[in-house]
Structures are given as C-alpha cells and as structure tokens.
C-alpha cells in the first residue's frame, strides 16, 4: 500500500509539473513583446495561493505522509511567483498596481493561515484548518476550465480545448485522487476527485466534437475576442491555440487586469 501511495504521488508530481509549465509559451510572448496585452494575471496569483496553501498542508508537522504534496506545490509556487513577477514587470501602470496589490493580498492570506496554524492550532485542528484552506482553493483552480467547456458545447468545436492538456488534467487529478484515497486523506481526495471528474468531462467533450470543423465560425465576434488569445488553467489554468496562431490565452477573461 505504501509503495502504491508513493508511486501515485510521483506520477502526480510529474503531471502537475507539466501543467505548471504550460504557460511558458504565454510568458515567452509577453517578454518578447514587452507587454501583457490582454492577458489576465489573476489566475497566476490564485494558483500561487493554492500552491502555497497546498505545500504548507503537505508539511510533516501539518499532515504526515504528504511530503510529495509539498514538493510539487512548492515547485509550483516558485514557478507561479516567476510568472507573477514577469507579469508585473511588463503590465501597464494601472494593471501593475492591481496585480501588485493582489500579490500582497495572496501573500498576506498565506501568512495568516501559516501563522494561525503554527501558533494557535495543534494536531487535528491544525490539519483540518490548513486542509480546508487548501481544498477550497484547489476546487476553485480545477473549476477554471468550466468557461472553455461551455464554449466547446456552444461552438461544437474543440479548437479551444487541446486534447493533451485535457488528458493531463485528468491524469493529474486522478493520480492525486488515488494518492489521497490510499493515504485516507479527504483534503487530497475531494478536490482532486473534482479535478479528475472535470478532466473526464473534457475528454468526453473532445470525443464528441473532435471531428467538427469550423464550429468556431459560428461564434460571434464578441465571443471570439473573449476567448481568442489563450486558454490557461493554472493547476489551475488551461491553454489553447488561437484561431490561426499558436498563442495561449486566459480562460478567465472576465477577470482581465
């Protein structure tokens, strides 16, 4: 049982790392153009908070036997922090201020959770408090593809939902779901079970609409502008190709900064 628990943890680390590195294309574009254009920086801050909380939850003094949760989320926190810093550097003045303020809020929330759990709570209460915080933001992160799934149904086209990212979302959620089951840890099982289910739905949608061509032409110009540059899921971001380019665009466009 312990061997299986470790194996699924390693596999979860590998698939999660793939998802964390997916926005590299987006940030290569930002650096080359020295502009964030219409990309939103909000998902990167939110994923940073999720990684920090999950990494903290996996620490041995919070929840035993979850060090693999800490390794990948600690790595993810570093990667997301780099994304946020790059975004702040190249963002226009007004969005830069908002992003900086959001970053301060993210770090403040994490610091508050860490300090409260460290000095005010012990044992089961500490684990419950940190686990709930990590679970809430993990579910929010996994829920980010809902917008693009709605677009797929509307346009009857999977052009904005790449297969391999949907597949890795499913594999990542499933790996950590099984990891949580083997470790009898609901705070790992529940959010990743949601992620696994959403990933499975994406694959089903892909199977249904994969042969449809030109479905995107049915979308009006407003919808195209809304979804047309990138699709990001940060672990909670999902990515996609543009209509005729290979650029990545943010799913969470309603929160554009």
């Amino acid at each position: 049982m312990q061997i299986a628990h470790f194996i699924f943890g390693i596999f979860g680390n590998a698939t999660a790392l793939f998802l964390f590195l997916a926005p590299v294309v987006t940030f290569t574009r930002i650096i080359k153009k020295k502009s964030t254009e219409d990309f939103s920086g909000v998902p990167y801050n939110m994923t940073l908070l999720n990684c920090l909380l999950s990494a903290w939850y996996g620490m041995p003094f919070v929840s035993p036997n979850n060090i693999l949760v800490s390794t990948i989320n600690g790595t993810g926190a570093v990667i997301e922090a780099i994304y946020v810093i790059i975004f702040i550097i190249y963002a226009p003045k007004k969005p830069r201020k908002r992003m900086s303020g959001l970053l301060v809020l993210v770090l403040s929330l994490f610091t508050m959770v860490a300090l409260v759990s460290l000095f005010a709570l012990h044992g089961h209460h500490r684990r419950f408090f940190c686990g709930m915080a990590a679970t809430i933001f993990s579910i929010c992160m996994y829920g980010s593809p809902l917008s693009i799934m709605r677009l797929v149904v509307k346009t009857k086209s999977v052009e904005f939902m790449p297969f391999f990212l949907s597949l890795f979302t499913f594999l990542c959620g499933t790996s950590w779901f099984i990891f949580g089951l083997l470790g009898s840890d609901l705070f790992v099982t529940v959010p990743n079970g949601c992620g696994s289910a959403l990933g499975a739905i994406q694959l089903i949608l892909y199977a249904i609409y994969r042969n449809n061509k030109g479905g995107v032409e049915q979308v009006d110009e407003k919808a195209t502008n809304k979804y047309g540059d990138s699709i990001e899921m940060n672990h909670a971001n999902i990515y996609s190709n543009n209509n005729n380019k290979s650029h990545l665009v943010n799913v969470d466009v309603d929160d554009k900064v």
Side-chain angles (χ1 to χ4, degrees):
M1 186 71 74
Q2 289 183 344
I3 295 176
H5 186 251
F6 178 77
I7 291 174
F8 278 102
I10 293 296
F11 190 63
N13 271 248
T15 52
L17 182 62
F18 176 87
L19 294 175
F20 285 138
L21 293 175
V24 166
V25 176
T26 297
F27 282 90
T28 299
R29 174 182 175 179
I30 288 174
I31 292 171
K32 286 182 177 179
K33 294 197 171 187
K34 300 185 184 301
S35 171
T36 56
E37 301 178 277
D38 288 332
F39 291 110
S40 172
V42 173
Y44 305 107
N45 268 304
M46 294 298 99
T47 304
L48 173 60
L49 178 57
N50 174 68
C51 287
L52 289 171
L53 292 173
S54 296
W56 184 257
Y57 173 73
M59 297 300 288
F61 54 82
V62 176
S63 62
N65 304 318
N66 276 330
I67 193 63
L68 289 175
V69 175
S70 287
T71 56
I72 187 56
N73 282 286
T75 302
V78 173
I79 294 172
E80 297 300 326
I82 293 172
Y83 292 156
V84 171
I85 292 171
I86 293 174
F87 195 96
I88 290 174
I89 291 173
Y90 291 106
K93 186 175 180 180
K94 191 174 180 180
R96 183 185 299 127
K97 288 182 178 179
R98 285 202 295 258
M99 280 294 295
S100 299
L102 185 56
L103 177 59
V104 171
L105 177 61
V106 165
L107 296 177
S108 298
L109 285 173
F110 169 69
T111 301
M112 181 188 69
V113 171
L115 290 177
V116 169
S117 65
L118 197 59
F119 297 108
L121 300 172
H122 304 279
H124 173 74
H125 297 291
R126 174 185 291 170
R127 179 174 183 174
F128 180 82
F129 176 71
C130 296
M132 282 299 297
T135 296
I136 290 171
F137 283 95
S138 291
I139 291 175
C140 290
M141 183 184 67
Y142 271 127
S144 62
L146 290 175
S147 295
I148 197 59
M149 290 162 65
R150 183 172 65 247
L151 182 66
V152 169
V153 173
K154 181 178 180 180
T155 64
K156 302 185 185 306
S157 170
V158 294
E159 181 172 1
F160 293 105
M161 191 176 71
F163 172 75
F164 284 107
L165 286 166
S166 298
L167 175 63
F168 273 89
T169 299
F170 170 73
L171 293 176
C172 182
T174 301
S175 299
W176 288 113
F177 172 71
I178 297 174
F179 179 88
L181 283 178
L182 294 174
S184 301
D185 192 330
L186 287 177
F187 296 121
V188 176
T189 302
V190 172
N192 288 288
C194 293
S196 178
L198 287 171
I201 293 173
Q202 290 177 55
L203 292 176
I204 292 171
L205 288 175
Y206 194 93
I208 294 173
Y209 297 115
R210 71 185 185 281
N211 294 323
N212 288 7
K213 305 295 182 183
V216 176
E217 279 73 17
Q218 301 174 10
V219 188
D220 58 25
E221 183 178 352
K222 180 178 179 181
T224 302
N225 290 336
K226 183 178 181 183
Y227 293 99
D229 272 336
S230 81
I231 294 172
E232 299 184 6
M233 132 177 208
N234 313 242
H235 180 23
N237 293 326
I238 277 197
Y239 309 85
S240 166
N241 291 330
N242 196 1
N243 292 341
N244 52 12
K245 308 179 243 183
S246 55
H247 298 317
L248 294 176
V249 195
N250 208 298
V251 171
D252 212 352
V253 291
D254 291 331
D255 289 325
K256 283 184 182 177
V257 177

